[in-house]
mmCIF file of all heavy atoms in Angstrom:
data_model
loop_
_atom_site.group_PDB
_atom_site.id
_atom_site.type_symbol
_atom_site.label_atom_id
_atom_site.label_comp_id
_atom_site.label_asym_id
_atom_site.label_seq_id
_atom_site.Cartn_x
_atom_site.Cartn_y
_atom_site.Cartn_z
ATOM 1 N N VAL A 1 -98.640 -70.303 9.712
ATOM 2 C CA VAL A 1 -97.617 -69.612 8.943
ATOM 3 C C VAL A 1 -98.224 -68.411 8.243
ATOM 4 O O VAL A 1 -99.295 -68.499 7.646
ATOM 5 C CB VAL A 1 -96.990 -70.562 7.905
ATOM 6 C CG1 VAL A 1 -96.006 -69.814 7.020
ATOM 7 C CG2 VAL A 1 -96.304 -71.732 8.606
ATOM 8 N N GLN A 2 -97.529 -67.300 8.313
ATOM 9 C CA GLN A 2 -97.963 -66.091 7.606
ATOM 10 C C GLN A 2 -96.812 -65.507 6.823
ATOM 11 O O GLN A 2 -95.669 -65.511 7.292
ATOM 12 C CB GLN A 2 -98.481 -65.045 8.600
ATOM 13 C CG GLN A 2 -99.824 -65.393 9.223
ATOM 14 C CD GLN A 2 -100.371 -64.258 10.061
ATOM 15 O OE1 GLN A 2 -99.640 -63.623 10.806
ATOM 16 N NE2 GLN A 2 -101.660 -63.988 9.932
ATOM 17 N N LEU A 3 -97.130 -65.040 5.626
ATOM 18 C CA LEU A 3 -96.182 -64.319 4.801
ATOM 19 C C LEU A 3 -96.755 -62.918 4.597
ATOM 20 O O LEU A 3 -97.872 -62.788 4.088
ATOM 21 C CB LEU A 3 -95.989 -64.994 3.442
ATOM 22 C CG LEU A 3 -95.103 -66.241 3.365
ATOM 23 C CD1 LEU A 3 -95.719 -67.412 4.124
ATOM 24 C CD2 LEU A 3 -94.862 -66.623 1.921
ATOM 25 N N VAL A 4 -96.002 -61.908 4.965
ATOM 26 C CA VAL A 4 -96.496 -60.534 4.888
ATOM 27 C C VAL A 4 -95.589 -59.715 3.988
ATOM 28 O O VAL A 4 -94.416 -59.493 4.313
ATOM 29 C CB VAL A 4 -96.578 -59.892 6.285
ATOM 30 C CG1 VAL A 4 -97.106 -58.470 6.183
ATOM 31 C CG2 VAL A 4 -97.465 -60.730 7.210
ATOM 32 N N GLU A 5 -96.162 -59.302 2.850
ATOM 33 C CA GLU A 5 -95.406 -58.503 1.886
ATOM 34 C C GLU A 5 -95.562 -57.018 2.171
ATOM 35 O O GLU A 5 -96.587 -56.582 2.710
ATOM 36 C CB GLU A 5 -95.879 -58.767 0.451
ATOM 37 C CG GLU A 5 -95.766 -60.198 -0.019
ATOM 38 C CD GLU A 5 -97.105 -60.882 -0.113
ATOM 39 O OE1 GLU A 5 -98.006 -60.495 0.661
ATOM 40 O OE2 GLU A 5 -97.255 -61.795 -0.937
ATOM 41 N N SER A 6 -94.569 -56.263 1.758
ATOM 42 C CA SER A 6 -94.643 -54.800 1.824
ATOM 43 C C SER A 6 -93.715 -54.226 0.762
ATOM 44 O O SER A 6 -92.884 -54.951 0.195
ATOM 45 C CB SER A 6 -94.248 -54.289 3.215
ATOM 46 O OG SER A 6 -92.916 -54.652 3.509
ATOM 47 N N GLY A 7 -93.895 -52.936 0.485
ATOM 48 C CA GLY A 7 -92.983 -52.247 -0.413
ATOM 49 C C GLY A 7 -93.547 -51.922 -1.774
ATOM 50 O O GLY A 7 -92.885 -51.257 -2.579
ATOM 51 N N GLY A 8 -94.747 -52.386 -2.067
ATOM 52 C CA GLY A 8 -95.338 -52.056 -3.356
ATOM 53 C C GLY A 8 -95.745 -50.596 -3.422
ATOM 54 O O GLY A 8 -95.682 -49.869 -2.433
ATOM 55 N N GLY A 9 -96.157 -50.176 -4.622
ATOM 56 C CA GLY A 9 -96.591 -48.799 -4.776
ATOM 57 C C GLY A 9 -96.594 -48.384 -6.221
ATOM 58 O O GLY A 9 -96.515 -49.214 -7.129
ATOM 59 N N LEU A 10 -96.698 -47.071 -6.419
ATOM 60 C CA LEU A 10 -96.720 -46.480 -7.750
ATOM 61 C C LEU A 10 -95.363 -45.846 -8.038
ATOM 62 O O LEU A 10 -94.841 -45.097 -7.200
ATOM 63 C CB LEU A 10 -97.821 -45.419 -7.814
ATOM 64 C CG LEU A 10 -97.899 -44.579 -9.086
ATOM 65 C CD1 LEU A 10 -98.228 -45.448 -10.289
ATOM 66 C CD2 LEU A 10 -98.946 -43.470 -8.923
ATOM 67 N N VAL A 11 -94.817 -46.152 -9.198
ATOM 68 C CA VAL A 11 -93.505 -45.625 -9.565
ATOM 69 C C VAL A 11 -93.498 -45.333 -11.060
ATOM 70 O O VAL A 11 -94.221 -45.982 -11.832
ATOM 71 C CB VAL A 11 -92.387 -46.626 -9.185
ATOM 72 C CG1 VAL A 11 -92.513 -47.927 -9.964
ATOM 73 C CG2 VAL A 11 -91.019 -46.018 -9.341
ATOM 74 N N GLN A 12 -92.707 -44.380 -11.462
ATOM 75 C CA GLN A 12 -92.575 -44.061 -12.880
ATOM 76 C C GLN A 12 -91.652 -45.065 -13.565
ATOM 77 O O GLN A 12 -90.774 -45.657 -12.925
ATOM 78 C CB GLN A 12 -92.025 -42.650 -13.062
ATOM 79 C CG GLN A 12 -93.018 -41.556 -12.717
ATOM 80 C CD GLN A 12 -92.502 -40.179 -13.101
ATOM 81 O OE1 GLN A 12 -91.297 -39.941 -13.157
ATOM 82 N NE2 GLN A 12 -93.422 -39.263 -13.358
ATOM 83 N N ALA A 13 -91.850 -45.220 -14.837
ATOM 84 C CA ALA A 13 -90.981 -46.091 -15.621
ATOM 85 C C ALA A 13 -89.531 -45.667 -15.450
ATOM 86 O O ALA A 13 -89.219 -44.471 -15.427
ATOM 87 C CB ALA A 13 -91.375 -46.051 -17.089
ATOM 88 N N GLY A 14 -88.671 -46.679 -15.283
ATOM 89 C CA GLY A 14 -87.259 -46.409 -15.033
ATOM 90 C C GLY A 14 -86.906 -46.348 -13.569
ATOM 91 O O GLY A 14 -85.716 -46.344 -13.209
ATOM 92 N N GLY A 15 -87.912 -46.304 -12.715
ATOM 93 C CA GLY A 15 -87.685 -46.201 -11.282
ATOM 94 C C GLY A 15 -87.412 -47.544 -10.628
ATOM 95 O O GLY A 15 -87.303 -48.574 -11.295
ATOM 96 N N SER A 16 -87.318 -47.498 -9.288
ATOM 97 C CA SER A 16 -86.980 -48.686 -8.515
ATOM 98 C C SER A 16 -87.934 -48.849 -7.337
ATOM 99 O O SER A 16 -88.496 -47.869 -6.833
ATOM 100 C CB SER A 16 -85.550 -48.587 -7.970
ATOM 101 O OG SER A 16 -84.611 -48.476 -9.003
ATOM 102 N N LEU A 17 -88.100 -50.086 -6.925
ATOM 103 C CA LEU A 17 -88.836 -50.429 -5.722
ATOM 104 C C LEU A 17 -88.170 -51.636 -5.084
ATOM 105 O O LEU A 17 -87.566 -52.461 -5.783
ATOM 106 C CB LEU A 17 -90.293 -50.778 -6.027
ATOM 107 C CG LEU A 17 -91.301 -49.661 -6.284
ATOM 108 C CD1 LEU A 17 -92.649 -50.272 -6.698
ATOM 109 C CD2 LEU A 17 -91.472 -48.768 -5.074
ATOM 110 N N ARG A 18 -88.322 -51.767 -3.761
ATOM 111 C CA ARG A 18 -87.881 -52.972 -3.086
ATOM 112 C C ARG A 18 -89.053 -53.576 -2.325
ATOM 113 O O ARG A 18 -89.652 -52.924 -1.470
ATOM 114 C CB ARG A 18 -86.726 -52.709 -2.120
ATOM 115 C CG ARG A 18 -86.130 -54.000 -1.573
ATOM 116 C CD ARG A 18 -84.939 -53.778 -0.674
ATOM 117 N NE ARG A 18 -85.326 -53.427 0.684
ATOM 118 C CZ ARG A 18 -84.562 -53.640 1.749
ATOM 119 N NH1 ARG A 18 -83.376 -54.212 1.604
ATOM 120 N NH2 ARG A 18 -84.957 -53.273 2.944
ATOM 121 N N LEU A 19 -89.337 -54.813 -2.659
ATOM 122 C CA LEU A 19 -90.372 -55.556 -1.957
ATOM 123 C C LEU A 19 -89.733 -56.392 -0.847
ATOM 124 O O LEU A 19 -88.622 -56.900 -0.998
ATOM 125 C CB LEU A 19 -91.126 -56.481 -2.913
ATOM 126 C CG LEU A 19 -91.735 -55.837 -4.153
ATOM 127 C CD1 LEU A 19 -92.498 -56.899 -4.956
ATOM 128 C CD2 LEU A 19 -92.628 -54.682 -3.794
ATOM 129 N N SER A 20 -90.468 -56.522 0.243
ATOM 130 C CA SER A 20 -90.031 -57.351 1.364
ATOM 131 C C SER A 20 -91.135 -58.332 1.728
ATOM 132 O O SER A 20 -92.322 -58.019 1.582
ATOM 133 C CB SER A 20 -89.711 -56.488 2.586
ATOM 134 O OG SER A 20 -88.699 -55.552 2.325
ATOM 135 N N CYS A 21 -90.735 -59.484 2.221
ATOM 136 C CA CYS A 21 -91.703 -60.481 2.688
ATOM 137 C C CYS A 21 -91.152 -61.112 3.951
ATOM 138 O O CYS A 21 -90.091 -61.752 3.917
ATOM 139 C CB CYS A 21 -91.947 -61.528 1.616
ATOM 140 S SG CYS A 21 -92.961 -62.921 2.149
ATOM 141 N N VAL A 22 -91.879 -60.938 5.035
ATOM 142 C CA VAL A 22 -91.488 -61.525 6.315
ATOM 143 C C VAL A 22 -92.307 -62.784 6.543
ATOM 144 O O VAL A 22 -93.534 -62.779 6.403
ATOM 145 C CB VAL A 22 -91.715 -60.534 7.465
ATOM 146 C CG1 VAL A 22 -91.297 -61.160 8.790
ATOM 147 C CG2 VAL A 22 -90.955 -59.247 7.222
ATOM 148 N N VAL A 23 -91.622 -63.854 6.895
ATOM 149 C CA VAL A 23 -92.270 -65.139 7.162
ATOM 150 C C VAL A 23 -92.321 -65.353 8.666
ATOM 151 O O VAL A 23 -91.335 -65.129 9.366
ATOM 152 C CB VAL A 23 -91.511 -66.288 6.477
ATOM 153 C CG1 VAL A 23 -92.220 -67.621 6.718
ATOM 154 C CG2 VAL A 23 -91.381 -66.018 4.991
ATOM 155 N N SER A 24 -93.464 -65.818 9.146
ATOM 156 C CA SER A 24 -93.717 -65.804 10.583
ATOM 157 C C SER A 24 -93.031 -66.895 11.369
ATOM 158 O O SER A 24 -92.849 -66.769 12.559
ATOM 159 C CB SER A 24 -95.217 -65.876 10.846
ATOM 160 O OG SER A 24 -95.738 -67.094 10.360
ATOM 161 N N GLU A 25 -92.649 -67.983 10.721
ATOM 162 C CA GLU A 25 -92.138 -69.096 11.510
ATOM 163 C C GLU A 25 -90.826 -69.637 10.959
ATOM 164 O O GLU A 25 -90.315 -69.182 9.963
ATOM 165 C CB GLU A 25 -93.190 -70.207 11.579
ATOM 166 C CG GLU A 25 -94.417 -69.821 12.365
ATOM 167 C CD GLU A 25 -95.295 -71.008 12.643
ATOM 168 O OE1 GLU A 25 -94.874 -72.141 12.372
ATOM 169 O OE2 GLU A 25 -96.409 -70.814 13.150
ATOM 170 N N SER A 26 -90.353 -70.659 11.613
ATOM 171 C CA SER A 26 -89.023 -71.185 11.326
ATOM 172 C C SER A 26 -88.943 -71.951 10.004
ATOM 173 O O SER A 26 -87.888 -72.463 9.677
ATOM 174 C CB SER A 26 -88.569 -72.091 12.458
ATOM 175 O OG SER A 26 -89.454 -73.178 12.584
ATOM 176 N N ILE A 27 -90.042 -72.041 9.257
ATOM 177 C CA ILE A 27 -89.965 -72.721 7.964
ATOM 178 C C ILE A 27 -89.058 -71.982 7.001
ATOM 179 O O ILE A 27 -88.628 -72.534 6.007
ATOM 180 C CB ILE A 27 -91.351 -72.849 7.303
ATOM 181 C CG1 ILE A 27 -91.915 -71.455 6.980
ATOM 182 C CG2 ILE A 27 -92.292 -73.656 8.172
ATOM 183 C CD1 ILE A 27 -93.034 -71.495 5.972
ATOM 184 N N PHE A 28 -88.780 -70.719 7.293
ATOM 185 C CA PHE A 28 -88.087 -69.880 6.321
ATOM 186 C C PHE A 28 -86.778 -70.510 5.863
ATOM 187 O O PHE A 28 -86.510 -70.597 4.670
ATOM 188 C CB PHE A 28 -87.835 -68.489 6.911
ATOM 189 C CG PHE A 28 -87.179 -67.537 5.962
ATOM 190 C CD1 PHE A 28 -87.935 -66.840 5.042
ATOM 191 C CD2 PHE A 28 -85.799 -67.344 5.972
ATOM 192 C CE1 PHE A 28 -87.329 -65.954 4.144
ATOM 193 C CE2 PHE A 28 -85.193 -66.470 5.089
ATOM 194 C CZ PHE A 28 -85.959 -65.777 4.173
ATOM 195 N N ARG A 29 -85.966 -70.942 6.822
ATOM 196 C CA ARG A 29 -84.625 -71.425 6.456
ATOM 197 C C ARG A 29 -84.682 -72.665 5.581
ATOM 198 O O ARG A 29 -83.740 -72.936 4.828
ATOM 199 C CB ARG A 29 -83.812 -71.692 7.713
ATOM 200 C CG ARG A 29 -83.491 -70.442 8.509
ATOM 201 C CD ARG A 29 -82.455 -70.696 9.580
ATOM 202 N NE ARG A 29 -82.173 -69.492 10.344
ATOM 203 C CZ ARG A 29 -81.176 -69.379 11.206
ATOM 204 N NH1 ARG A 29 -80.374 -70.402 11.413
ATOM 205 N NH2 ARG A 29 -80.994 -68.263 11.859
#
């Protein structure tokens, strides 16, 4: 099983970000 995050970074206060995490196998549900 692998969990792979993405979407982090540098942002100014008041800003927005969206993080994503993809799970490799059927355990997700």
Side-chain angles (χ1 to χ4, degrees):
V1 175
Q2 288 187 318
L3 282 66
V4 181
E5 301 107 331
S6 61
L10 173 64
V11 64
Q12 288 188 333
S16 300
L17 282 174
R18 189 177 82 155
L19 306 182
S20 301
C21 173
V22 180
V23 182
S24 63
E25 293 191 9
S26 61
I27 64 162
F28 182 83
R29 294 192 181 190

